[in-house]
Amino acid sequence: MLWLGGLLFILNLAVLLYFLLWRTRPMPRWFFALPVAALGILAGHFVLLRREAQFLLIPALPGYVITVLVFLAALPQLFRRREHALSVRFLFIKRALSAVGLVVLAFCAVRFLQFRGIIHARVKKATIEKEERNTDLRALSWSRSFEALKNKLVAEYPFTEWKRINWDMLYKEFAPRVAAAEASHDRRAFYKALREFLWRIPDGHVELEGDDDGLQQDEVGSSFGFGLAELDDHRVVVSHMWPEGPAARAGITVGTELIAWNGIPVEQALSTAPYFWSAEPPATVGGRRLEQLRFLPRSPAGSRASLTMRKRGSSSAEDVTLTAVPSEITERGFSPLKEFYLGGPVETRTLSSGCGYIRIRYVLPTLIQPYPEERLANALRRFQKSSARGVILDVRGNFGGSDAMVARMMAFFRSREIVYEYPGVYNPAARRFEIMESDAVRLVPAEPHYSGRVVVLIDARTLSSGEGIPLILKGLPNVSILGWHGTHGSFAINKKTIFLPADLSASFPQAQSIGPDRRIQIDSDYAGRGGVQPDWRPPLNENTFEAVFREDSDYLLGIGESVLLGGISIPNAVGDPSALTEIPRP
């Protein structure tokens, strides 16, 4: 892979230098066949990266674009019998474009080597990378592929015992639906059966990829025009309103209490509300409740709902009937191409209060920030130099990335080496998952060491490797974890993919994340308990409702600042049994 990339770089470099420096000198015709050869090498390089290291396609793509442009520029020269003189103006433009191409090519090569070093430092000898992770069932019928999918999960899903999943019971429930969809050639029914089956697995790393044929839009693509929240006293209230939506036209306002839904007490209606159109399966009891609150007010277009509600400040209830209208479902605002080429995972600034603020949106390198830990280190140095009152580390909505990068980024906050995780990998010969201590991810302290006060902001959308940040920091005497909810509770390592008929594929985690105590860490258990819990949860009641949902401000961030400034004193998890074990330095 590396030698192919190097050859591609040399061929492009030769042609671009010719265009830049020696354009007025005639060259043999075979020279212009080099871009044709480069195009062939590009195809081979692309295939290798797709198979062995897909993430390296990100830094490689700009080089691919240069290769294609160089090929198009050199193609006319390949078929000309003799050189044609170029005007001075055209020669200048071509030289300028060649110079730009050389800069992009060099930048691409540097970033490719950096990304390759990041990835190979983690996986070069890891046992987990040697396991086959793709299974192709596309040649089977829908029913047989579903049975094979179930058998694969029975054998290799990492948390069957931990979550006490009864695969046979689930199979008996959904197999008839798959068979009926197959008999009627109904792809939408097949998709829906698969999705509901997979979403019964409380694991945010379970996925179903493929076109849903408009099912989501038909079933939950419309809304009654409001969102819901649950207060500490378990009252369900309107938290958001869509301007000019059905609820707004009916006179419903933020703060209105929902008492019943279609004649059913709201508690009962919520407990039975489907959530399988969520972005990923909720892993915890709290996460499931949030998704049910989110999807209860969503229905097919034109459907009607009879609501019993009590407006804020009123002692009497009233009935309202609403009709659902089309409304876009809001998911994570993340554009992979835009982020990886123009964005970065780490954002830093000094707040007006004098506190430092670091937001970690995900834990992956980008072209702009190939080493996000360097940006984090520079921010900490700046905060130390300015004597900031403390640092707010915001990982709300962080969807994860690289475990090794988490360990590097958090190395500035710990003074002693720790074991971050051991992978628990499936052993097909023994038919069980075994701890690979040789492949442990360790956190080694790094400079600058930050020992000031730290408040970590989390939420239920802090997922996967993003949950490793509060996990590493929880229990430190200078750290407080703050949030309305615990993190998602889905922390497993890598994924396996099963290719299914009808252009669909299912994915599930490859390996367990095992803590220093040799137990599964963070992933939710059979009772729906999991994730990293906040040390303190601000109250959500009548007094705080206005600040949380009505005012145009980040209430939780304001609480974090108050903690650092001494306005609020909250506990932390010193001595918490879930805190990571420290390894004394020799």
Side-chain angles (χ1 to χ4, degrees):
M1 181 170 60
L2 186 61
W3 68 268
L4 271 181
L7 185 57
L8 187 63
F9 174 81
I10 290 172
L11 292 178
N12 282 321
L13 181 65
V15 179
L16 285 171
L17 285 174
Y18 166 72
F19 282 136
L20 180 66
L21 302 176
W22 298 294
R23 177 62 187 86
T24 56
R25 301 183 182 180
M27 295 290 290
R29 189 175 299 177
W30 63 261
F31 179 82
F32 297 102
L34 295 181
V36 179
L39 208 60
I41 293 171
L42 182 155
H45 195 252
F46 177 81
V47 170
L48 279 175
L49 290 187
R50 279 288 300 267
R51 187 174 63 193
E52 298 180 11
Q54 293 187 20
F55 199 75
L56 287 176
L57 287 171
I58 295 168
L61 187 58
Y64 290 169
V65 172
I66 293 297
T67 300
V68 173
L69 293 178
V70 167
F71 168 77
L72 294 175
L75 194 60
Q77 304 291 337
L78 187 62
F79 297 101
R80 285 178 180 167
R81 294 182 176 274
R82 62 179 184 175
E83 291 287 321
H84 292 271
L86 296 175
S87 66
V88 174
R89 181 180 178 183
F90 190 77
L91 183 59
F92 173 78
I93 293 174
K94 204 157 190 176
R95 282 178 168 169
L97 291 176
S98 299
V100 172
L102 284 168
V103 171
V104 173
L105 191 65
F107 177 77
C108 175
V110 171
R111 286 293 192 256
F112 183 86
L113 292 173
Q114 288 176 329
F115 274 49
R116 185 177 182 274
I118 291 169
I119 293 172
H120 282 250
R122 184 179 82 247
V123 305
K124 187 175 182 181
K125 295 183 179 180
T127 306
I128 194 171
E129 291 298 317
K130 298 175 183 177
E131 186 180 7
E132 179 57 48
R133 285 180 282 172
N134 293 329
T135 302
D136 195 341
L137 305 178
R138 286 175 287 193
L140 301 180
S141 66
W142 292 0
S143 294
R144 289 185 62 195
S145 69
F146 181 63
E147 181 181 12
L149 168 63
K150 185 268 294 186
N151 291 337
K152 188 77 171 176
L153 290 167
V154 168
E156 300 182 23
Y157 179 66
F159 306 110
T160 293
E161 295 181 5
W162 184 250
K163 297 178 184 286
R164 298 184 186 175
I165 298 176
N166 190 329
W167 296 112
D168 290 335
M169 184 181 71
L170 285 175
Y171 178 74
K172 289 178 182 178
E173 179 182 346
F174 288 95
R177 291 177 55 180
V178 172
E182 183 176 23
S184 60
H185 305 287
D186 188 343
R187 185 184 180 278
R188 280 166 53 115
F190 180 48
Y191 178 94
K192 187 174 180 180
L194 285 173
R195 189 172 184 99
E196 289 191 45
F197 167 75
L198 292 170
W199 259 244
R200 293 281 287 276
I201 307 169
D203 189 329
H205 285 121
V206 171
E207 301 176 68
L208 178 63
E209 297 290 336
D211 191 356
D212 69 355
D213 291 331
L215 258 175
Q216 185 187 54
Q217 181 62 35
D218 288 348
E219 296 197 355
V220 293
S222 295
S223 167
F224 296 107
F226 61 89
L228 295 173
E230 189 170 17
L231 303 183
D232 290 343
D233 59 9
H234 301 297
R235 284 183 296 153
V236 176
V237 297
V238 173
S239 58
H240 301 87
M241 295 289 296
W242 276 249
E244 305 300 323
R249 291 196 297 270
I252 297 173
T253 59
V254 171
T256 298
E257 180 185 357
L258 178 60
I259 300 172
W261 185 276
N262 288 329
I264 302 172
V266 66
E267 171 67 29
Q268 182 180 345
L270 277 171
S271 65
T272 59
Y275 52 83
F276 58 84
W277 288 116
S278 59
E280 59 273 324
T284 63
V285 171
R288 182 170 67 245
R289 183 67 160 197
L290 289 174
E291 293 300 334
Q292 289 172 324
L293 284 163
R294 180 180 174 215
F295 280 97
L296 182 64
R298 304 199 67 88
S299 287
S303 60
R304 296 167 69 83
S306 176
L307 282 59
T308 302
M309 314 189 83
R310 182 186 295 115
K311 291 184 179 179
R312 198 171 188 188
S314 174
S315 58
S316 60
E318 59 182 278
D319 294 329
V320 177
T321 299
L322 303 178
T323 302
V325 298
S327 173
E328 184 179 355
I329 299 176
T330 304
E331 298 291 358
R332 295 179 186 272
F334 180 75
S335 172
L337 287 179
K338 180 181 178 181
E339 284 296 327
F340 291 138
Y341 290 109
L342 301 175
V346 179
E347 301 172 0
T348 69
R349 69 177 189 271
T350 300
L351 302 175
S352 58
S353 61
C355 299
Y357 176 82
I358 300 173
R359 185 187 180 196
I360 304 178
R361 301 169 61 222
Y362 47 89
V363 198
L364 291 168
T366 66
L367 283 186
I368 305 299
Q369 293 182 25
Y371 297 108
E373 62 269 30
E374 293 182 356
R375 187 176 183 89
L376 182 61
N378 291 335
L380 292 175
R381 290 188 184 97
R382 188 170 69 250
F383 297 149
Q384 288 174 327
K385 186 176 181 180
S386 63
S387 300
R389 299 288 295 273
V391 169
I392 293 177
L393 199 57
D394 191 349
V395 293
R396 292 174 293 177
N398 185 312
F399 60 82
S402 164
D403 285 336
M405 185 166 286
V406 169
R408 292 198 300 271
M409 296 178 79
M410 294 300 101
F412 309 114
F413 297 95
R414 298 200 68 121
S415 59
R416 305 179 75 180
E417 183 177 336
I418 61 171
V419 171
Y420 173 42
E421 71 177 355
Y422 301 108
V425 183
Y426 181 67
N427 182 340
R431 296 186 179 181
R432 65 171 182 264
F433 284 83
E434 298 177 347
I435 299 175
M436 298 290 111
E437 295 194 18
S438 60
D439 296 333
V441 178
R442 288 180 163 81
L443 180 151
V444 179
E447 293 296 331
H449 174 66
Y450 187 82
S451 57
R453 287 297 309 277
V454 178
V455 170
V456 184
L457 305 184
I458 62 173
D459 64 9
R461 290 160 65 88
T462 307
L463 174 68
S464 191
S465 297
E467 300 179 73
I469 294 171
L471 173 69
I472 288 174
L473 299 181
K474 191 175 180 68
L476 294 179
N478 62 317
V479 175
S480 297
I481 312 292
L482 186 63
W484 302 109
H485 307 278
T487 60
H488 194 280
S490 301
F491 195 58
I493 304 171
N494 283 9
K495 72 176 182 178
K496 290 183 177 179
T497 300
I498 301 175
F499 297 100
L500 300 165
D503 295 323
L504 301 174
S505 65
S507 299
F508 62 93
Q510 178 187 0
Q512 304 162 340
S513 176
I514 306 296
D517 58 358
R518 304 302 194 273
R519 288 173 55 84
I520 290 170
Q521 58 184 0
I522 292 187
D523 275 281
S524 62
D525 63 9
Y526 65 92
R529 299 167 300 197
V532 180
Q533 299 304 311
D535 298 329
W536 186 67
R537 179 184 180 275
L540 183 54
N541 51 34
E542 288 280 355
N543 295 329
T544 59
F545 183 85
E546 289 285 336
V548 175
F549 293 108
R550 284 183 181 269
E551 297 177 4
D552 187 19
S553 62
D554 188 336
Y555 181 77
L556 196 64
L557 177 61
I559 293 291
E561 288 184 90
S562 295
V563 170
L564 293 178
L565 297 173
I568 297 178
S569 179
I570 68 173
N572 56 26
V574 177
D576 189 295
S578 65
L580 296 177
T581 303
E582 293 191 340
I583 302 174
R585 283 187 174 277

